[in-house]
Amino acid sequence: MDKPPLTVAYCHCSDCRRWTGAPVAAFAAFERKDVAGQLPDPFRGAPGVERWTCPTCHAPLAAAFDYLPEQIYVPVGIIDQADRLVPKMHSHASSALPWLHIHDDLPRADASARDALNTAAQ
């Protein structure tokens, strides 16, 4: 990515866990206009979610959510600078797996954190 992310966030929702195959997902948010042209054709997964996968291996590349229309979320693990992309918040914290304990002082939204994530785009 040529530009820094708008924000970086953990997501504990079951949809993101299933899609990434991880107990918690971490995504970097970018402006849609800066990323969309670099991605293959998307597909609709869960209602209100647009996803992109690698056309060769089908690994997750990005996701976009109807309630965050100007943003695309890229899994932190596929970005070369992942070591510098520190999460700023937890989304869907109420859905966290009971055995997963991430001890930090980051804000935690029980649901989507859409207000904070939309504010990050401004």
Side-chain angles (χ1 to χ4, degrees), residues 8-99:
V8 180
Y10 290 113
C11 185
H12 296 273
C13 82
S14 61
D15 186 51
C16 287
R17 283 198 311 263
R18 285 185 188 103
W19 189 57
T20 62
V24 64
F27 293 102
F30 295 91
E31 288 189 44
R32 181 179 280 272
K33 65 181 176 64
D34 294 334
V35 179
Q38 301 174 44
L39 296 168
D41 290 336
F43 69 93
R44 283 279 175 176
V49 181
E50 188 175 22
R51 298 202 187 277
W52 291 262
T53 59
C54 173
T56 303
C57 70
H58 305 288
L61 296 178
F65 307 92
D66 288 352
Y67 60 86
L68 300 165
E70 301 304 318
Q71 300 176 44
I72 290 182
Y73 286 77
V74 177
V76 168
I78 69 168
I79 300 173
D80 290 340
Q81 303 80 10
D83 61 328
R84 294 182 292 222
L85 299 175
V86 180
K88 306 283 188 223
M89 68 182 78
H90 292 263
S91 296
H92 296 279
S94 64
S95 297
L97 294 171
W99 51 262

